[in-house]
Amino acid sequence: MINIAIIGTGNISRMHLEGYAGFTGRCSITALVDTAPENAEKRKKDFPFIAEAKVVSDYKEILNDTSIDLVDICTPPFCHAEIAAAFLNAGKHVIVEKPMAASLEECDRMIAAAEKNKKLLSVIAQNRFRGDVHKLKSTLDTGLIGRVVHAQVDSFWWRGHSYYDLWWRGTWDTEGGGCTLNHAVHHIDMLGWMLGRPAEINAIISNTAHDNAEVEDLSVAILRYNGSDRIANGALAQVTSSVVHHGEEQQLIVQGEKARISFPWRVAAHLAQPNGFPKPEQNEALIKELNDFYGALPDLPYGGHTAQLDNILTALETGGSPLSGGADGRLTIELITAIYKASIEGRKVTLPIGNDDPFYTTEGLTKKAPRFYQKTAFAQNLSGDIKT
Ligand SMILES: NC(=O)c1ccc[n+]([C@@H]2O[C@H](COP(=O)([O-])OP(=O)(O)OC[C@H]3O[C@@H](n4cnc5c(N)ncnc54)[C@H](O)[C@@H]3O)[C@@H](O)[C@H]2O)c1
């Protein structure tokens, strides 16, 4: 039985508790920590299976509680690194919500604490466990589409003006960034998972519709890759991160030398006429092979947060590794940091970002970041449902 403490019992803790509720034979939620303990008490009412959990307001009160094996951090981004490193150094395994942290220095501090103490560190990236994303990755890994030449990542979300009225959202100090860090983090994680680290990045960040936030609500980035056995030399990816897109039509399209595949799932595969123009008929044999492979992949037993929590519990039970570890969360933060740096400095950024780079630290990044607008409202809670 794995004993778990949840730190931060706001919106997203509900998804974690819905997941744990299906695994009561494997784990037990023994403590809830929230600087607003009334949020934790509310969660206890929502989820009778955690009625016995103790509630405290300061994580330091349970730091040395030897009965706790795993700590699940669901606080705002600015305190992920501090809390994660403290618990890893106290000998606990750690799950941390996205984004892993506000800077590469914070990520490295967390990874070093996990390595030193030989504890598991997993970063929430629940979209890796979506059936269509998981199957896209497996299909890409077959190499059937040839080397990748282009990827299109549309991280299209829509959030109304009041979204940034929550106290910790909309400032570089507490949210760590805007939609690139907090929304597109999901799609940038998928891209990093599928294609790895690019060689360089160009980008522009902007704020078009939220004059109550310091941070960006829109960014467009272009990533260039060096060649490998999987990626054509000079391959490009375009990543749009947005909270201004009505319809929220999200997609990740990968164009290979021989075919295109995507989530949502769609395949196309042109063949050339002698003059290079596409034949009227596509490569039906390859399209069939790709559809057959994709269609034969088994569905995952769970989706989203539940699937990822199952993956983490299984890693702890078997001594294995989680699908999304510290290095995965760090790569995502590196790509996002590069997008910010490229836009702020107005020039292309070459990767990797070194630890002597001014953008490596939270202080360095927040000092240079543009304040698009001043944040004026600081609501403790906002009513309404959330969508992940
Ligand atoms: N994976 C996803 O799809 C997804 C979706 C939404 C939010 N998130 C992430 O989850 C995290 C929390 O977001 P949320 O929407 O639940 O925010 P929230 O404001 O609803 O909840 C955060 C909770 O943490 C508490 N808290 C703040 N500082 C604390 C501290 N130092 N110690 C203990 N408790 C503290 C707050 O009182 C609040 O109850 C963020 O990192 C966010 O990016 C992830």
Side-chain angles (χ1 to χ4, degrees):
M1 184 64 78
I2 298 167
N3 289 329
I4 303 174
I6 297 181
I7 322 292
T9 53
N11 279 319
I12 203 61
S13 69
R14 168 173 287 282
M15 307 291 175
H16 292 240
L17 286 164
E18 283 173 2
Y20 291 128
F23 305 132
T24 48
R26 304 163 72 189
C27 64
S28 170
I29 312 301
T30 56
L32 300 174
V33 182
D34 202 299
T35 44
E38 62 277 14
N39 291 353
E41 295 297 346
K42 182 169 178 311
R43 282 286 170 260
K44 281 176 52 156
K45 291 207 178 74
D46 298 341
F47 292 93
F49 82 100
I50 59 165
E52 300 302 316
K54 77 171 169 189
V55 171
V56 297
S57 59
D58 185 342
Y59 75 83
K60 292 183 182 127
E61 288 180 53
I62 58 158
L63 210 45
N64 297 313
D65 181 338
T66 51
S67 71
I68 295 168
D69 307 301
L70 172 64
V71 170
D72 185 352
I73 301 169
C74 299
T75 61
F78 69 90
C79 48
H80 287 180
E82 176 199 314
I83 299 175
F87 278 108
L88 287 163
N89 285 325
K92 321 284 184 215
H93 304 290
V94 164
I95 302 173
V96 64
E97 255 300 344
K98 65 79 187 164
M100 178 173 175
S103 67
L104 287 169
E105 181 277 324
E106 292 188 0
C107 294
D108 284 344
R109 208 173 341 132
M110 295 159 77
I111 292 169
E115 283 173 358
K116 183 174 146 220
N117 297 289
K118 300 190 172 37
K119 293 292 157 191
L120 173 146
L121 169 62
S122 183
V123 181
I124 292 292
Q126 83 271 14
N127 287 285
R128 287 190 183 197
F129 297 85
R130 277 176 56 148
D132 50 2
V133 174
H134 207 81
K135 290 180 186 183
L136 174 65
K137 162 83 164 107
S138 300
T139 311
L140 181 64
D141 287 347
T142 63
L144 283 169
I145 70 166
R147 289 182 308 160
V148 174
V149 296
H150 182 251
Q152 178 180 335
V153 181
D154 292 342
S155 189
F156 293 172
W157 307 78
W158 188 88
R159 294 293 181 267
H161 195 264
S162 57
Y163 179 80
Y164 286 105
D165 288 343
L166 191 70
W167 65 274
W168 60 266
R169 290 195 194 125
T171 74
W172 289 93
D173 285 338
T174 49
E175 195 175 2
C179 59
T180 318
L181 180 70
N182 287 292
H183 291 79
V185 64
H186 294 294
H187 295 90
I188 293 172
D189 170 74
M190 288 175 214
L191 184 68
W193 186 38
M194 294 189 196
L195 300 191
R197 182 196 273 129
E200 58 190 33
I201 294 188
N202 264 298
I204 296 183
I205 67 171
S206 182
N207 182 321
T208 59
H210 294 87
D211 64 5
N212 53 345
E214 293 178 3
V215 298
E216 84 283 1
D217 64 8
L218 180 64
S219 73
V220 177
I222 300 169
L223 290 58
R224 193 188 67 75
Y225 295 80
N226 287 336
S228 68
D229 55 344
R230 304 189 44 178
I231 301 179
N233 194 35
L236 300 179
Q238 64 192 74
V239 178
T240 305
S241 310
S242 168
V243 284
V244 298
H245 272 68
H246 293 274
E248 300 192 315
E249 282 138 348
Q250 305 180 352
Q251 57 180 353
L252 197 166
I253 306 171
V254 186
Q255 297 282 352
E257 292 161 319
K258 299 179 193 160
R260 66 85 86 191
I261 52 176
S262 62
F263 107 78
W265 179 247
R266 193 162 78 76
V267 188
H270 284 305
L271 289 170
Q273 302 179 64
N275 66 358
F277 282 71
K279 285 182 178 173
E281 295 297 318
Q282 293 198 21
N283 185 344
E284 295 304 334
L286 178 57
I287 290 175
K288 182 175 182 323
E289 195 177 358
L290 285 161
N291 277 327
D292 286 352
F293 180 86
Y294 185 93
L297 290 168
D299 287 327
L300 297 175
Y302 311 103
H305 276 87
T306 303
Q308 183 161 6
L309 296 175
D310 174 46
N311 176 262
I312 294 164
L313 293 177
T314 303
L316 288 174
E317 288 157 352
T318 61
S321 301
L323 180 61
S324 172
D328 301 275
R330 187 194 190 280
L331 174 61
T332 306
I333 297 299
E334 186 175 27
L335 300 181
I336 293 167
T337 303
I339 291 172
Y340 287 146
K341 178 174 166 158
S343 176
I344 292 165
E345 295 197 331
R347 63 189 173 92
K348 94 179 165 207
V349 169
T350 304
L351 296 173
I353 292 178
N355 59 10
D356 55 350
D357 191 297
F359 284 83
Y360 178 74
T361 63
T362 309
E363 298 70 31
L365 195 154
T366 44
K367 208 163 100 188
K368 287 176 179 284
R371 269 59 179 172
F372 287 105
Y373 296 98
Q374 197 185 348
K375 180 173 163 74
T376 46
F378 294 86
Q380 274 310 307
N381 286 301
L382 297 171
S383 61
D385 296 331
I386 71 156
K387 217 173 118 188
T388 55

